[in-house]
């Protein structure tokens, strides 16, 4: 059985290992970035674990009061549990909590080449707002997607 819980500072080692497993070195967050996300940043990271507490996925989201939005920093699911709806469940939890807390929108960036992620985000109502040439490196383009959480926020900025 898989469960979701909020990450703690002592989860950094397991998170970094999964990050390096799921992402190429040029885009993977390092230990110092994860230390910041877990200990200093305003936001939270949700972990997906099995019954042996093995980390199988995570979603990290930051609060940006100046833009009245949540910013998804990263989302990863280990290949052994992909296509089982776990990324969707983590996203739905963040969307629900964001709406309940009165946030205006959720923003994220996604690689153009990641068709599965694009389909997932668009299926949840995220819409392309800005094209980001070379965002992940030369020739590795991305899009910024935004999901309004309140009616009438569809044209909101960054």
């Amino acid at each position: 059985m898989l469960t979701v819980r909020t990450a703690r500072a002592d989860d950094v080692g397991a998170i970094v290992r999964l990050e390096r497993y799921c992402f190429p070195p040029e885009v993977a967050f390092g230990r110092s970035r994860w230390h910041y996300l877990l200990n200093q940043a305003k936001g939270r990271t949700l972990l997906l674990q099995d019954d042996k507490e093995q980390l199988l996925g995570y979603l990290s989201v930051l609060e940006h009061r100046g833009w009245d939005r949540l910013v998804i920093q990263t989302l990863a699911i280990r290949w052994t549990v992909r296509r089982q709806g776990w990324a969707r469940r983590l996203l739905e939890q963040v969307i629900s909590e964001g709406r309940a807390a009165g946030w205006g929108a959720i923003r994220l960036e996604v690689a153009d080449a990641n068709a599965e992620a694009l389909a997932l985000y668009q299926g949840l109502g995220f819409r392309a707002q800005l094209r980001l040439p070379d965002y992940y490196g030369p020739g590795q383009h991305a899009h910024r997607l935004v999901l309004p959480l309140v009616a009438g926020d569809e044209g909101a900025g960054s």
Side-chain angles (χ1 to χ4, degrees), residues 17-137:
R17 281 189 298 279
L18 185 57
E19 176 88 5
R20 289 179 179 157
Y21 175 82
C22 291
F23 296 104
E26 62 272 12
V27 298
F29 290 172
R31 185 172 290 276
S32 62
R33 178 68 177 168
W34 277 108
H35 178 77
Y36 168 76
L37 290 171
L38 296 177
N39 296 294
Q40 297 168 298
K42 296 234 188 266
R44 68 187 233 166
T45 298
L46 298 174
L47 302 183
L48 175 65
Q49 293 182 307
D50 66 13
D51 55 358
K52 296 176 184 163
E53 296 187 6
Q54 178 182 352
L55 182 61
L56 299 174
Y58 56 78
L59 184 152
S60 185
V61 61
L62 295 181
E63 300 175 0
H64 196 296
R65 294 256 176 233
W67 293 337
D68 186 32
R69 62 192 56 219
L70 299 170
V71 180
I72 294 177
Q73 294 292 292
T74 186
L75 167 63
I77 303 292
R78 186 174 174 83
W79 72 271
T80 56
V81 293
R82 285 189 186 154
R83 299 181 190 272
Q84 297 177 22
W86 289 106
R88 175 178 287 278
R89 289 179 206 168
L90 291 173
L91 287 161
E92 287 172 343
Q93 182 171 336
V94 167
I95 292 166
S96 176
E97 291 172 358
R99 281 192 175 116
W103 285 96
I106 299 176
R107 184 191 97 187
L108 59 84
E109 287 78 32
V110 61
D112 288 355
N114 194 342
E116 289 180 10
L118 278 165
L120 170 64
Y121 299 138
Q122 291 170 340
L124 288 167
F126 284 84
R127 296 294 170 246
Q129 182 182 59
L130 179 68
R131 188 161 194 284
L132 303 167
D134 303 319
Y135 186 78
Y136 290 110

